PDB file of all heavy atoms in Angstrom:
ATOM      1  N   TRP Y  16     -37.803  17.376  24.088  1.00 97.00           N
ATOM      2  CA  TRP Y  16     -36.623  17.775  23.339  1.00 97.00           C
ATOM      3  C   TRP Y  16     -35.455  18.006  24.280  1.00 97.00           C
ATOM      4  O   TRP Y  16     -35.620  18.499  25.403  1.00 97.00           O
ATOM      5  CB  TRP Y  16     -36.888  19.059  22.562  1.00 97.00           C
ATOM      6  CG  TRP Y  16     -37.526  18.811  21.235  1.00 97.00           C
ATOM      7  CD1 TRP Y  16     -38.737  18.210  21.001  1.00 97.00           C
ATOM      8  CD2 TRP Y  16     -36.996  19.128  19.964  1.00 97.00           C
ATOM      9  NE1 TRP Y  16     -38.982  18.150  19.673  1.00 97.00           N
ATOM     10  CE2 TRP Y  16     -37.924  18.710  19.003  1.00 97.00           C
ATOM     11  CE3 TRP Y  16     -35.829  19.738  19.537  1.00 97.00           C
ATOM     12  CZ2 TRP Y  16     -37.721  18.882  17.642  1.00 97.00           C
ATOM     13  CZ3 TRP Y  16     -35.636  19.920  18.179  1.00 97.00           C
ATOM     14  CH2 TRP Y  16     -36.566  19.488  17.258  1.00 97.00           C
ATOM     15  N   PRO Y  20     -26.219  23.840  24.415  1.00 96.00           N
ATOM     16  CA  PRO Y  20     -25.109  24.378  23.642  1.00 96.00           C
ATOM     17  C   PRO Y  20     -24.036  23.295  23.546  1.00 96.00           C
ATOM     18  O   PRO Y  20     -23.935  22.424  24.420  1.00 96.00           O
ATOM     19  CB  PRO Y  20     -24.620  25.559  24.483  1.00 96.00           C
ATOM     20  CG  PRO Y  20     -25.006  25.209  25.879  1.00 96.00           C
ATOM     21  CD  PRO Y  20     -26.259  24.379  25.772  1.00 96.00           C
ATOM     22  N   VAL Y  25     -17.276  17.492  16.624  1.00 91.00           N
ATOM     23  CA  VAL Y  25     -18.443  16.804  16.065  1.00 91.00           C
ATOM     24  C   VAL Y  25     -18.421  15.309  16.411  1.00 91.00           C
ATOM     25  O   VAL Y  25     -19.434  14.743  16.822  1.00 91.00           O
ATOM     26  CB  VAL Y  25     -18.526  17.020  14.536  1.00 91.00           C
ATOM     27  CG1 VAL Y  25     -19.596  16.156  13.911  1.00 91.00           C
ATOM     28  CG2 VAL Y  25     -18.775  18.488  14.235  1.00 91.00           C
ATOM     29  N   PRO Y  30     -22.356  10.614  19.196  1.00 96.00           N
ATOM     30  CA  PRO Y  30     -22.938   9.544  20.018  1.00 96.00           C
ATOM     31  C   PRO Y  30     -23.918  10.054  21.077  1.00 96.00           C
ATOM     32  O   PRO Y  30     -24.879   9.364  21.427  1.00 96.00           O
ATOM     33  CB  PRO Y  30     -21.740   8.875  20.682  1.00 96.00           C
ATOM     34  CG  PRO Y  30     -20.520   9.505  20.144  1.00 96.00           C
ATOM     35  CD  PRO Y  30     -20.912  10.663  19.288  1.00 96.00           C
ATOM     36  N   LYS Y  36     -31.711  10.659  20.662  1.00 97.00           N
ATOM     37  CA  LYS Y  36     -32.659  10.349  19.584  1.00 97.00           C
ATOM     38  C   LYS Y  36     -33.224   8.937  19.736  1.00 97.00           C
ATOM     39  O   LYS Y  36     -34.413   8.720  19.518  1.00 97.00           O
ATOM     40  CB  LYS Y  36     -31.979  10.499  18.220  1.00 97.00           C
ATOM     41  CG  LYS Y  36     -31.551  11.909  17.867  1.00 97.00           C
ATOM     42  CD  LYS Y  36     -32.702  12.844  17.661  1.00 97.00           C
ATOM     43  CE  LYS Y  36     -33.474  12.426  16.421  1.00 97.00           C
ATOM     44  NZ  LYS Y  36     -34.629  13.275  16.149  1.00 97.00           N
ATOM     45  N   ARG Y  38     -33.933   7.398  22.310  1.00 95.00           N
ATOM     46  CA  ARG Y  38     -34.934   7.394  23.378  1.00 95.00           C
ATOM     47  C   ARG Y  38     -36.139   8.270  23.042  1.00 95.00           C
ATOM     48  O   ARG Y  38     -36.980   8.530  23.878  1.00 95.00           O
ATOM     49  CB  ARG Y  38     -34.285   7.795  24.681  1.00 95.00           C
ATOM     50  CG  ARG Y  38     -33.437   6.646  25.214  1.00 95.00           C
ATOM     51  CD  ARG Y  38     -32.506   7.065  26.313  1.00 95.00           C
ATOM     52  NE  ARG Y  38     -31.683   5.957  26.743  1.00 95.00           N
ATOM     53  CZ  ARG Y  38     -30.606   5.490  26.104  1.00 95.00           C
ATOM     54  NH1 ARG Y  38     -30.244   6.014  24.960  1.00 95.00           N
ATOM     55  NH2 ARG Y  38     -29.889   4.497  26.596  1.00 95.00           N
ATOM     56  N   PRO Y  49     -17.782  27.210  13.090  1.00 74.00           N
ATOM     57  CA  PRO Y  49     -18.153  26.991  11.694  1.00 74.00           C
ATOM     58  C   PRO Y  49     -18.386  25.499  11.444  1.00 74.00           C
ATOM     59  O   PRO Y  49     -17.823  24.656  12.131  1.00 74.00           O
ATOM     60  CB  PRO Y  49     -16.936  27.489  10.913  1.00 74.00           C
ATOM     61  CG  PRO Y  49     -16.152  28.315  11.866  1.00 74.00           C
ATOM     62  CD  PRO Y  49     -16.473  27.824  13.243  1.00 74.00           C
ATOM     63  N   ASP Y  57     -31.834  17.498  15.177  1.00 96.00           N
ATOM     64  CA  ASP Y  57     -32.992  18.022  14.450  1.00 96.00           C
ATOM     65  C   ASP Y  57     -32.818  19.487  14.078  1.00 96.00           C
ATOM     66  O   ASP Y  57     -33.240  19.908  13.009  1.00 96.00           O
ATOM     67  CB  ASP Y  57     -34.255  17.862  15.305  1.00 96.00           C
ATOM     68  CG  ASP Y  57     -34.544  16.408  15.586  1.00 96.00           C
ATOM     69  OD1 ASP Y  57     -34.944  15.695  14.655  1.00 96.00           O
ATOM     70  OD2 ASP Y  57     -34.343  15.977  16.740  1.00 96.00           O
ATOM     71  N   VAL Y  71     -29.615  27.915  26.334  1.00 97.00           N
ATOM     72  CA  VAL Y  71     -30.732  27.013  26.626  1.00 97.00           C
ATOM     73  C   VAL Y  71     -32.063  27.747  26.486  1.00 97.00           C
ATOM     74  O   VAL Y  71     -33.021  27.205  25.929  1.00 97.00           O
ATOM     75  CB  VAL Y  71     -30.560  26.385  28.030  1.00 97.00           C
ATOM     76  CG1 VAL Y  71     -31.819  25.677  28.481  1.00 97.00           C
ATOM     77  CG2 VAL Y  71     -29.379  25.423  28.025  1.00 97.00           C
ATOM     78  N   LEU Y  79     -40.329  25.578  21.584  1.00 95.00           N
ATOM     79  CA  LEU Y  79     -41.701  25.724  22.068  1.00 95.00           C
ATOM     80  C   LEU Y  79     -42.556  26.580  21.130  1.00 95.00           C
ATOM     81  O   LEU Y  79     -43.746  26.321  20.975  1.00 95.00           O
ATOM     82  CB  LEU Y  79     -41.698  26.300  23.476  1.00 95.00           C
ATOM     83  CG  LEU Y  79     -41.136  25.356  24.545  1.00 95.00           C
ATOM     84  CD1 LEU Y  79     -40.955  26.102  25.860  1.00 95.00           C
ATOM     85  CD2 LEU Y  79     -42.012  24.129  24.723  1.00 95.00           C
ATOM     86  N   GLY Y  91     -28.903  19.823  29.576  1.00 94.00           N
ATOM     87  CA  GLY Y  91     -27.760  19.095  30.148  1.00 94.00           C
ATOM     88  C   GLY Y  91     -26.508  19.638  29.516  1.00 94.00           C
ATOM     89  O   GLY Y  91     -26.379  20.843  29.325  1.00 94.00           O
ATOM     90  N   GLY Y  92     -25.651  18.740  29.124  1.00 93.00           N
ATOM     91  CA  GLY Y  92     -24.409  19.137  28.480  1.00 93.00           C
ATOM     92  C   GLY Y  92     -24.150  18.289  27.262  1.00 93.00           C
ATOM     93  O   GLY Y  92     -24.840  17.300  27.009  1.00 93.00           O
ATOM     94  N   THR Y  95     -23.503  14.587  28.179  1.00 94.00           N
ATOM     95  CA  THR Y  95     -24.503  13.952  29.039  1.00 94.00           C
ATOM     96  C   THR Y  95     -25.352  12.972  28.247  1.00 94.00           C
ATOM     97  O   THR Y  95     -26.065  13.353  27.328  1.00 94.00           O
ATOM     98  CB  THR Y  95     -25.423  15.025  29.661  1.00 94.00           C
ATOM     99  OG1 THR Y  95     -24.603  15.983  30.347  1.00 94.00           O
ATOM    100  CG2 THR Y  95     -26.403  14.411  30.626  1.00 94.00           C
TER     101      THR Y  95
END
Side-chain angles (χ1 to χ4, degrees):
W16 275 61
V25 172
K36 295 293 293 179
R38 286 166 183 78
D57 298 289
V71 168
L79 292 170
T95 305

